[in-house]
Amino acid sequence: MNAFKHALVILARYGIFVALAIEFVLFSFLSPHFFDLGNQVNVLHQNAPILVLAVGMTFVILTAGIDLSVGSVVALTAVVTAQIAVGDWAPVGVRIVGALIGGGIVGAICGCLNGLVITKVRIPPFVATLAMMLIAKGAVLVYTNARTISGLPDEFGAIGQSSLPHALFHIVTTLALFAIAWVILRFTPFGKHVYAVGNNPEAAHLCGIRVSMVLIGVYLLCGSLAGVGGLMLSTQLNSGDPKLGELDELEAIAAVVVGGTSLMGGRGSVWGTLAGGLLIAYLKNYLTLEGLPFFWQKIVVGVALILAAFLDRFRTEE
Amino acid sequence: MTTRAALEAHAVTKIFPGVKALDGVTLEVRAGEVHALVGENGAGKSTLVKVLGGAHAPDEGRVTLDGVPLPHGDPVAARRAGIGIIYQEFTLVPELTVAENIFLGREARGPFKRGPFLRGADMVRDARAILEKLGADLDPRTYVKRLSVGAQQQVEIARALASDARVLVFDEPSATLTDQELTRLFETIRELRSRGIAIVYISHRLEEVFDLADRVTVLRDGKHVVTTEIDGVTRTQLIHWMVGRELEDEYAFRPREHGETVLQVESLSDGARIRDVSFTLQRGEVLGFAGLVGSGRTESALSLFGRLPRTSGTAALCGEPIDFTHPAQALKRGLGYLTEDRKKHGIFGDLSVAENITVSNLFDYRTGPFVSSRRQLAAADAACKTFDVRTSGVDKKIAKLSGGNQQKALLARLLCRDLDVLILDEPTRGVDIGAKSEIYQLIYDLADRGMGIVMISSDLPELLGTCDRIAVFAQGRTVGVVDRDGATQEKIMELAVSEDVA
């Protein structure tokens, strides 16, 4: 029993990376199709938007906050992007560049508003971002009347194609965002302040850290990355679908938590989030390959979440 | 009046990590008397109350009620046996009614003996009876959140009486009451005494003790000093018992030259806990802030530091007027503050020693936009040497260090920048003797370098041993400044417990 507990502690420390490696090897043996290049590219490409959302969510959760609005921001971005790209008001190149910039700005504005409401109006993140989730979603439905915007230029959809080499657009962008996030958290004053604020906000304030600015920065970042996620999804589908992003905020939170970042703040890393996100993505992919119905997959992922949280308990007790 | 002992604590000892909070303390309270319990901050009064109420289990000794020993560390058993404690912080639930609070945990239930529903009408009726006996004019159906502090205290008392308390312990009941509410409380206590209830009354205000108590017990440093009838005891005698220990020279005070005035504060006020605070501080001077808990010392410091707002008054740092709204501004201008609550407001427990030391000025360790780990670690290493922070490595979590070393690390964090004034709030609290002397030496070194130091402490001998002058606070005001020569604990206590300083 003691040896078992010891093993759990070790597993918990490097937990998520070990678990990901075991899962990867196991699925490669169990399924003849899992290790295929095509399947691997497909998994990464398909999950790129969620992983990008999870990067932003990691920053927010490190400050002991939460952002429930990212799913709706994805929808809003997708619709705005599609609206700019569609029609023939300008040469196609201008429309696409305008769409990408416009989408990013929408995400940034939503995130910035979240940060302002949380720090200046002093509303808890859960409530503030819940409100933003409703408002952004409502705006999307009002604007589109729940209809999908289609007829986007092929060049736009090409950015989001799932076959090589186009798929590299999203995969490389995602990995680059993880690397940049890691550099920010590890090597910049802002990143270190994020950990300090999450660990002990009052001590951070007394240290002379501008806690409000850190929080606004974090939500701004999370919203902007939700914008990027929305861009990715709209290019993947080559349309502006108001239903996009639904429940994506919960998947992003799941990736962060499975990746070992504490909901209490101050502890965790983006690499953990990447591993957590991939762990869930591979699990779903394997279940699909084995032909398990989509609805059953949700149940399996739910059980996996509890297992991950259970392992995390050993790390906190350590 | 009977002379039978109702509640007795026999040779109670309670040890916390590093501190002997109670050392063989004996207390004997008779039915029908008001027994005052007095002592300085940290003398062990609150710990003794918690042992009586079963919140703490004593390491040695026992508590008996009418000769029957009470089980250790069992608050429910203590309450059932008839010991009611009225804590300074009320334990009422604001969102429930008076009656519901009085019977919380012992609700009348129906329809059968232990049915699932509350018998609300019965509870209201019983609550009304208890409140009437207490002479409290309260509707049992009112929500507690709508009551004044004094009325809430009556509900607390009613709750204790509802469980047939024969001993009532009041832990500093007067701290938050208005004068009228206090008069009312005294009437209630005298009424309870006449009904044969034994009462323990804890207060900093000696006037109340002389007014109300029949006997008094004095604690000092966790030890029992004396128990005596209050008649015939003088105020000076009582204060001497409370503070009268010999000074040892663990402080090794060194006289210094003082420079020009570096901090000048005039009539500082926040309209609530700070009412009228004035003092001056010179370069090279160590100025003590003495006073009871809640006298406004910490609030004044936080207000100067930009953590709490102020409503009136002026302050000048190096001759320039200051009114900071964020600690960052204070630090930038050379005013530093070390928190009294190291764990809650000081350290980042999950971060390393190096991160903790460098966190407040990370911008100084940059190359381009990035923090250079090399320079950060080098700075932390150097700081650990300068301030003698003992750690097996600056990459270790700070939570693993001893209290003294954490405190030195926090000082190192503050002194990464050039400061003109440093305010230290209880810098030696929870620090062992050895590290204490080192911190004193550090303070003298800083003063030698021309810094002005403010030292807030509840440890009077420490203030007398280390400070050039001591400003005494009472109820949000500076009521006097005492020079090192001629300062005595008695003199400071007299000032600190002075009331109605207009």
Side-chain angles (χ1 to χ4, degrees), chain B residues 141-165:
Chain B
R141 288 166 300 187
T142 321
Y143 283 93
V144 160
K145 63 181 172 190
R146 303 200 195 290
L147 298 180
S148 69
V149 177
Q152 290 189 19
Q153 195 172 48
Q154 290 182 318
V155 178
E156 283 273 357
I157 298 171
R159 174 148 85 182
L161 294 178
S163 48
D164 295 321

PDB file of all heavy atoms in Angstrom, chain B residues 141-165:
ATOM      1  N   ARG B 141     -37.824  37.182  16.076  1.00  0.00           N
ATOM      2  CA  ARG B 141     -37.987  36.917  14.645  1.00  0.00           C
ATOM      3  C   ARG B 141     -37.163  37.863  13.768  1.00  0.00           C
ATOM      4  O   ARG B 141     -37.173  37.746  12.553  1.00  0.00           O
ATOM      5  CB  ARG B 141     -39.465  37.004  14.266  1.00  0.00           C
ATOM      6  CG  ARG B 141     -40.271  35.822  14.800  1.00  0.00           C
ATOM      7  CD  ARG B 141     -41.747  36.094  14.724  1.00  0.00           C
ATOM      8  NE  ARG B 141     -42.109  37.281  15.508  1.00  0.00           N
ATOM      9  CZ  ARG B 141     -43.349  37.679  15.721  1.00  0.00           C
ATOM     10  NH1 ARG B 141     -44.349  37.007  15.214  1.00  0.00           N
ATOM     11  NH2 ARG B 141     -43.592  38.752  16.449  1.00  0.00           N
ATOM     12  N   THR B 142     -36.437  38.810  14.410  1.00  0.00           N
ATOM     13  CA  THR B 142     -35.595  39.724  13.636  1.00  0.00           C
ATOM     14  C   THR B 142     -34.376  38.982  13.095  1.00  0.00           C
ATOM     15  O   THR B 142     -33.845  38.090  13.749  1.00  0.00           O
ATOM     16  CB  THR B 142     -35.059  40.866  14.540  1.00  0.00           C
ATOM     17  OG1 THR B 142     -36.076  41.238  15.421  1.00  0.00           O
ATOM     18  CG2 THR B 142     -34.595  42.037  13.724  1.00  0.00           C
ATOM     19  N   TYR B 143     -33.934  39.384  11.901  1.00  0.00           N
ATOM     20  CA  TYR B 143     -32.699  38.809  11.382  1.00  0.00           C
ATOM     21  C   TYR B 143     -31.515  39.455  12.089  1.00  0.00           C
ATOM     22  O   TYR B 143     -31.499  40.677  12.322  1.00  0.00           O
ATOM     23  CB  TYR B 143     -32.583  39.017   9.872  1.00  0.00           C
ATOM     24  CG  TYR B 143     -33.467  38.051   9.120  1.00  0.00           C
ATOM     25  CD1 TYR B 143     -34.755  38.402   8.752  1.00  0.00           C
ATOM     26  CD2 TYR B 143     -33.008  36.764   8.834  1.00  0.00           C
ATOM     27  CE1 TYR B 143     -35.587  37.511   8.108  1.00  0.00           C
ATOM     28  CE2 TYR B 143     -33.820  35.858   8.192  1.00  0.00           C
ATOM     29  CZ  TYR B 143     -35.108  36.239   7.823  1.00  0.00           C
ATOM     30  OH  TYR B 143     -35.916  35.333   7.202  1.00  0.00           O
ATOM     31  N   VAL B 144     -30.527  38.648  12.436  1.00  0.00           N
ATOM     32  CA  VAL B 144     -29.383  39.119  13.209  1.00  0.00           C
ATOM     33  C   VAL B 144     -28.617  40.211  12.467  1.00  0.00           C
ATOM     34  O   VAL B 144     -28.088  41.140  13.059  1.00  0.00           O
ATOM     35  CB  VAL B 144     -28.463  37.928  13.574  1.00  0.00           C
ATOM     36  CG1 VAL B 144     -27.071  38.399  13.940  1.00  0.00           C
ATOM     37  CG2 VAL B 144     -29.074  37.144  14.730  1.00  0.00           C
ATOM     38  N   LYS B 145     -28.602  40.147  11.135  1.00  0.00           N
ATOM     39  CA  LYS B 145     -27.846  41.140  10.373  1.00  0.00           C
ATOM     40  C   LYS B 145     -28.408  42.558  10.557  1.00  0.00           C
ATOM     41  O   LYS B 145     -27.723  43.539  10.295  1.00  0.00           O
ATOM     42  CB  LYS B 145     -27.823  40.777   8.896  1.00  0.00           C
ATOM     43  CG  LYS B 145     -29.184  40.773   8.242  1.00  0.00           C
ATOM     44  CD  LYS B 145     -29.100  40.384   6.780  1.00  0.00           C
ATOM     45  CE  LYS B 145     -30.501  40.207   6.225  1.00  0.00           C
ATOM     46  NZ  LYS B 145     -30.506  39.612   4.893  1.00  0.00           N
ATOM     47  N   ARG B 146     -29.663  42.658  11.030  1.00  0.00           N
ATOM     48  CA  ARG B 146     -30.242  43.990  11.221  1.00  0.00           C
ATOM     49  C   ARG B 146     -29.960  44.554  12.612  1.00  0.00           C
ATOM     50  O   ARG B 146     -30.371  45.658  12.930  1.00  0.00           O
ATOM     51  CB  ARG B 146     -31.756  43.938  11.029  1.00  0.00           C
ATOM     52  CG  ARG B 146     -32.177  43.410   9.684  1.00  0.00           C
ATOM     53  CD  ARG B 146     -33.590  43.815   9.331  1.00  0.00           C
ATOM     54  NE  ARG B 146     -34.090  43.017   8.231  1.00  0.00           N
ATOM     55  CZ  ARG B 146     -33.669  43.112   6.982  1.00  0.00           C
ATOM     56  NH1 ARG B 146     -32.738  43.994   6.672  1.00  0.00           N
ATOM     57  NH2 ARG B 146     -34.153  42.321   6.045  1.00  0.00           N
ATOM     58  N   LEU B 147     -29.280  43.793  13.474  1.00  0.00           N
ATOM     59  CA  LEU B 147     -29.072  44.223  14.853  1.00  0.00           C
ATOM     60  C   LEU B 147     -27.773  45.005  15.005  1.00  0.00           C
ATOM     61  O   LEU B 147     -26.816  44.809  14.249  1.00  0.00           O
ATOM     62  CB  LEU B 147     -29.026  43.000  15.776  1.00  0.00           C
ATOM     63  CG  LEU B 147     -30.288  42.147  15.838  1.00  0.00           C
ATOM     64  CD1 LEU B 147     -30.067  40.977  16.791  1.00  0.00           C
ATOM     65  CD2 LEU B 147     -31.483  42.976  16.279  1.00  0.00           C
ATOM     66  N   SER B 148     -27.737  45.891  16.018  1.00  0.00           N
ATOM     67  CA  SER B 148     -26.509  46.597  16.351  1.00  0.00           C
ATOM     68  C   SER B 148     -25.548  45.612  17.018  1.00  0.00           C
ATOM     69  O   SER B 148     -25.930  44.505  17.407  1.00  0.00           O
ATOM     70  CB  SER B 148     -26.809  47.744  17.305  1.00  0.00           C
ATOM     71  OG  SER B 148     -27.194  47.210  18.554  1.00  0.00           O
ATOM     72  N   VAL B 149     -24.277  46.050  17.140  1.00  0.00           N
ATOM     73  CA  VAL B 149     -23.278  45.190  17.759  1.00  0.00           C
ATOM     74  C   VAL B 149     -23.690  44.812  19.179  1.00  0.00           C
ATOM     75  O   VAL B 149     -23.596  43.659  19.600  1.00  0.00           O
ATOM     76  CB  VAL B 149     -21.905  45.892  17.763  1.00  0.00           C
ATOM     77  CG1 VAL B 149     -20.876  45.036  18.481  1.00  0.00           C
ATOM     78  CG2 VAL B 149     -21.462  46.162  16.346  1.00  0.00           C
ATOM     79  N   GLY B 150     -24.208  45.801  19.933  1.00  0.00           N
ATOM     80  CA  GLY B 150     -24.604  45.531  21.311  1.00  0.00           C
ATOM     81  C   GLY B 150     -25.723  44.507  21.381  1.00  0.00           C
ATOM     82  O   GLY B 150     -25.704  43.601  22.216  1.00  0.00           O
ATOM     83  N   ALA B 151     -26.699  44.628  20.481  1.00  0.00           N
ATOM     84  CA  ALA B 151     -27.820  43.689  20.465  1.00  0.00           C
ATOM     85  C   ALA B 151     -27.342  42.294  20.080  1.00  0.00           C
ATOM     86  O   ALA B 151     -27.810  41.290  20.625  1.00  0.00           O
ATOM     87  CB  ALA B 151     -28.885  44.172  19.494  1.00  0.00           C
ATOM     88  N   GLN B 152     -26.386  42.247  19.145  1.00  0.00           N
ATOM     89  CA  GLN B 152     -25.842  40.946  18.753  1.00  0.00           C
ATOM     90  C   GLN B 152     -25.175  40.271  19.950  1.00  0.00           C
ATOM     91  O   GLN B 152     -25.271  39.059  20.139  1.00  0.00           O
ATOM     92  CB  GLN B 152     -24.833  41.108  17.617  1.00  0.00           C
ATOM     93  CG  GLN B 152     -25.501  41.510  16.313  1.00  0.00           C
ATOM     94  CD  GLN B 152     -24.547  41.473  15.145  1.00  0.00           C
ATOM     95  OE1 GLN B 152     -23.506  40.832  15.194  1.00  0.00           O
ATOM     96  NE2 GLN B 152     -24.887  42.165  14.087  1.00  0.00           N
ATOM     97  N   GLN B 153     -24.511  41.099  20.769  1.00  0.00           N
ATOM     98  CA  GLN B 153     -23.861  40.527  21.944  1.00  0.00           C
ATOM     99  C   GLN B 153     -24.902  39.936  22.894  1.00  0.00           C
ATOM    100  O   GLN B 153     -24.682  38.881  23.487  1.00  0.00           O
ATOM    101  CB  GLN B 153     -23.058  41.614  22.643  1.00  0.00           C
ATOM    102  CG  GLN B 153     -22.078  41.058  23.636  1.00  0.00           C
ATOM    103  CD  GLN B 153     -21.171  42.134  24.148  1.00  0.00           C
ATOM    104  OE1 GLN B 153     -21.636  43.197  24.541  1.00  0.00           O
ATOM    105  NE2 GLN B 153     -19.895  41.892  24.118  1.00  0.00           N
ATOM    106  N   GLN B 154     -26.067  40.622  23.012  1.00  0.00           N
ATOM    107  CA  GLN B 154     -27.124  40.077  23.857  1.00  0.00           C
ATOM    108  C   GLN B 154     -27.612  38.740  23.336  1.00  0.00           C
ATOM    109  O   GLN B 154     -27.929  37.849  24.107  1.00  0.00           O
ATOM    110  CB  GLN B 154     -28.284  41.076  23.940  1.00  0.00           C
ATOM    111  CG  GLN B 154     -27.914  42.306  24.753  1.00  0.00           C
ATOM    112  CD  GLN B 154     -29.068  43.273  24.867  1.00  0.00           C
ATOM    113  OE1 GLN B 154     -29.774  43.503  23.890  1.00  0.00           O
ATOM    114  NE2 GLN B 154     -29.260  43.822  26.045  1.00  0.00           N
ATOM    115  N   VAL B 155     -27.668  38.613  22.007  1.00  0.00           N
ATOM    116  CA  VAL B 155     -28.080  37.330  21.422  1.00  0.00           C
ATOM    117  C   VAL B 155     -27.060  36.255  21.772  1.00  0.00           C
ATOM    118  O   VAL B 155     -27.399  35.123  22.111  1.00  0.00           O
ATOM    119  CB  VAL B 155     -28.255  37.450  19.894  1.00  0.00           C
ATOM    120  CG1 VAL B 155     -28.630  36.097  19.297  1.00  0.00           C
ATOM    121  CG2 VAL B 155     -29.317  38.481  19.560  1.00  0.00           C
ATOM    122  N   GLU B 156     -25.758  36.619  21.696  1.00  0.00           N
ATOM    123  CA  GLU B 156     -24.707  35.671  22.083  1.00  0.00           C
ATOM    124  C   GLU B 156     -24.910  35.202  23.529  1.00  0.00           C
ATOM    125  O   GLU B 156     -24.792  34.015  23.838  1.00  0.00           O
ATOM    126  CB  GLU B 156     -23.328  36.339  21.964  1.00  0.00           C
ATOM    127  CG  GLU B 156     -22.806  36.465  20.537  1.00  0.00           C
ATOM    128  CD  GLU B 156     -22.045  35.234  20.073  1.00  0.00           C
ATOM    129  OE1 GLU B 156     -21.866  34.292  20.873  1.00  0.00           O
ATOM    130  OE2 GLU B 156     -21.641  35.214  18.904  1.00  0.00           O
ATOM    131  N   ILE B 157     -25.199  36.167  24.407  1.00  0.00           N
ATOM    132  CA  ILE B 157     -25.384  35.821  25.817  1.00  0.00           C
ATOM    133  C   ILE B 157     -26.614  34.926  25.965  1.00  0.00           C
ATOM    134  O   ILE B 157     -26.583  33.912  26.665  1.00  0.00           O
ATOM    135  CB  ILE B 157     -25.532  37.097  26.680  1.00  0.00           C
ATOM    136  CG1 ILE B 157     -24.253  37.927  26.583  1.00  0.00           C
ATOM    137  CG2 ILE B 157     -25.819  36.740  28.130  1.00  0.00           C
ATOM    138  CD1 ILE B 157     -24.365  39.310  27.206  1.00  0.00           C
ATOM    139  N   ALA B 158     -27.696  35.286  25.257  1.00  0.00           N
ATOM    140  CA  ALA B 158     -28.910  34.481  25.320  1.00  0.00           C
ATOM    141  C   ALA B 158     -28.648  33.053  24.849  1.00  0.00           C
ATOM    142  O   ALA B 158     -29.168  32.089  25.411  1.00  0.00           O
ATOM    143  CB  ALA B 158     -30.003  35.125  24.460  1.00  0.00           C
ATOM    144  N   ARG B 159     -27.814  32.941  23.815  1.00  0.00           N
ATOM    145  CA  ARG B 159     -27.509  31.608  23.307  1.00  0.00           C
ATOM    146  C   ARG B 159     -26.800  30.773  24.377  1.00  0.00           C
ATOM    147  O   ARG B 159     -27.087  29.598  24.563  1.00  0.00           O
ATOM    148  CB  ARG B 159     -26.618  31.722  22.071  1.00  0.00           C
ATOM    149  CG  ARG B 159     -26.145  30.372  21.585  1.00  0.00           C
ATOM    150  CD  ARG B 159     -25.978  30.345  20.106  1.00  0.00           C
ATOM    151  NE  ARG B 159     -24.676  30.838  19.715  1.00  0.00           N
ATOM    152  CZ  ARG B 159     -24.290  30.945  18.444  1.00  0.00           C
ATOM    153  NH1 ARG B 159     -25.112  30.613  17.476  1.00  0.00           N
ATOM    154  NH2 ARG B 159     -23.117  31.381  18.159  1.00  0.00           N
ATOM    155  N   ALA B 160     -25.858  31.418  25.094  1.00  0.00           N
ATOM    156  CA  ALA B 160     -25.153  30.695  26.152  1.00  0.00           C
ATOM    157  C   ALA B 160     -26.128  30.290  27.256  1.00  0.00           C
ATOM    158  O   ALA B 160     -26.081  29.175  27.767  1.00  0.00           O
ATOM    159  CB  ALA B 160     -24.036  31.560  26.711  1.00  0.00           C
ATOM    160  N   LEU B 161     -27.055  31.220  27.610  1.00  0.00           N
ATOM    161  CA  LEU B 161     -28.007  30.916  28.684  1.00  0.00           C
ATOM    162  C   LEU B 161     -28.979  29.824  28.265  1.00  0.00           C
ATOM    163  O   LEU B 161     -29.422  29.032  29.092  1.00  0.00           O
ATOM    164  CB  LEU B 161     -28.778  32.181  29.083  1.00  0.00           C
ATOM    165  CG  LEU B 161     -27.921  33.275  29.727  1.00  0.00           C
ATOM    166  CD1 LEU B 161     -28.783  34.485  30.030  1.00  0.00           C
ATOM    167  CD2 LEU B 161     -27.254  32.760  30.988  1.00  0.00           C
ATOM    168  N   ALA B 162     -29.303  29.768  26.967  1.00  0.00           N
ATOM    169  CA  ALA B 162     -30.247  28.768  26.477  1.00  0.00           C
ATOM    170  C   ALA B 162     -29.710  27.363  26.712  1.00  0.00           C
ATOM    171  O   ALA B 162     -30.478  26.422  26.855  1.00  0.00           O
ATOM    172  CB  ALA B 162     -30.531  28.986  24.997  1.00  0.00           C
ATOM    173  N   SER B 163     -28.397  27.212  26.737  1.00  0.00           N
ATOM    174  CA  SER B 163     -27.852  25.887  27.041  1.00  0.00           C
ATOM    175  C   SER B 163     -27.478  25.800  28.517  1.00  0.00           C
ATOM    176  O   SER B 163     -26.529  25.116  28.885  1.00  0.00           O
ATOM    177  CB  SER B 163     -26.675  25.566  26.123  1.00  0.00           C
ATOM    178  OG  SER B 163     -25.780  26.651  26.079  1.00  0.00           O
ATOM    179  N   ASP B 164     -28.202  26.548  29.355  1.00  0.00           N
ATOM    180  CA  ASP B 164     -28.049  26.485  30.810  1.00  0.00           C
ATOM    181  C   ASP B 164     -26.621  26.724  31.272  1.00  0.00           C
ATOM    182  O   ASP B 164     -26.074  25.972  32.075  1.00  0.00           O
ATOM    183  CB  ASP B 164     -28.534  25.116  31.349  1.00  0.00           C
ATOM    184  CG  ASP B 164     -30.022  24.948  31.131  1.00  0.00           C
ATOM    185  OD1 ASP B 164     -30.743  25.951  31.302  1.00  0.00           O
ATOM    186  OD2 ASP B 164     -30.439  23.836  30.770  1.00  0.00           O
ATOM    187  N   ALA B 165     -25.978  27.770  30.754  1.00  0.00           N
ATOM    188  CA  ALA B 165     -24.602  28.049  31.154  1.00  0.00           C
ATOM    189  C   ALA B 165     -24.573  28.478  32.615  1.00  0.00           C
ATOM    190  O   ALA B 165     -25.402  29.259  33.071  1.00  0.00           O
ATOM    191  CB  ALA B 165     -24.021  29.152  30.271  1.00  0.00           C
TER     192      ALA B 165
END
